[in-house]
Amino acid sequence: MHARPLAALAVAALALAAACAPSYRGPVVEPGTQTVDRNTSWYADLASPTPTLVGVTPLTGSVSMMAGARDGRTRVALELTGASPGGLHPWEVRHGRCGADEGLLGPSAAYTPVRIPENGNASAAMTLPVQIPTTGSYFVNVLASAADGLVIACGNLAPPMTR
């Protein structure tokens, strides 16, 4: 007769475990392969400007901006998470802050869109033919497409930390 209470206890434990488990069942995002030294790199976390954009998957990600391999060059690396597979998204570094655009950093020809693979996570990098900034405000926009200016993710770049 002890089997019934034991079975009820097992069912209750499974129900509690299921209720406490996270509901997100998407792919696990591995950390980037490049370690960002925040003492020498500008850095931003990206997020969708509003979680209620109709028809747009909320994006997250990060951007780092550092001195390029040669003088007069700036290397920018982007990582996106949660994008719609198959998407092709322009992205760019701009002067100012999210929502307060003061113009493009570098020539527009240096920017190429990032293509989103099946898992919805993408990375891209580019080298701008400009000296790494030491002062000022900068941000990164990720756009829905080249045809419109809808910003689907934005992040304000924080300057390198000083010791």
Side-chain angles (χ1 to χ4, degrees):
M1 295 299 232
H2 293 335
R4 259 193 198 158
L6 230 44
L9 183 59
V11 168
L14 285 173
L16 180 61
C20 293
S23 62
Y24 177 74
R25 301 284 186 228
V28 175
V29 179
E30 296 297 328
T33 56
Q34 178 182 7
T35 302
V36 175
D37 181 353
R38 293 194 184 181
N39 291 316
T40 59
S41 299
W42 293 72
Y43 183 84
D45 287 321
L46 295 173
S48 293
T50 174
T52 59
L53 286 173
V54 176
V56 175
T57 304
L59 294 178
T60 58
S62 63
V63 175
S64 60
M65 182 170 74
M66 67 220 66
R70 294 185 322 182
D71 194 35
R73 303 276 190 240
T74 298
R75 185 84 175 144
V76 186
L78 167 81
E79 290 192 18
L80 290 177
T81 303
S84 296
L88 185 63
H89 301 292
W91 62 288
E92 54 203 14
V93 180
R94 302 192 66 85
H95 295 273
R97 311 294 287 164
C98 291
D101 189 349
E102 297 174 13
L104 189 64
L105 176 66
S108 61
Y111 294 91
T112 57
V114 60
R115 183 166 303 279
I116 310 301
E118 282 301 311
N119 69 4
N121 304 322
S123 60
M126 72 173 130
T127 300
L128 295 171
V130 296
Q131 188 70 32
I132 182 76
T134 57
T135 62
S137 297
Y138 303 90
F139 69 102
V140 173
N141 270 344
V142 178
L143 306 175
S145 72
D148 64 41
L150 177 65
V151 175
I152 57 173
C154 190
N156 294 317
L157 285 157
M161 290 187 245
T162 57
R163 296 178 192 244

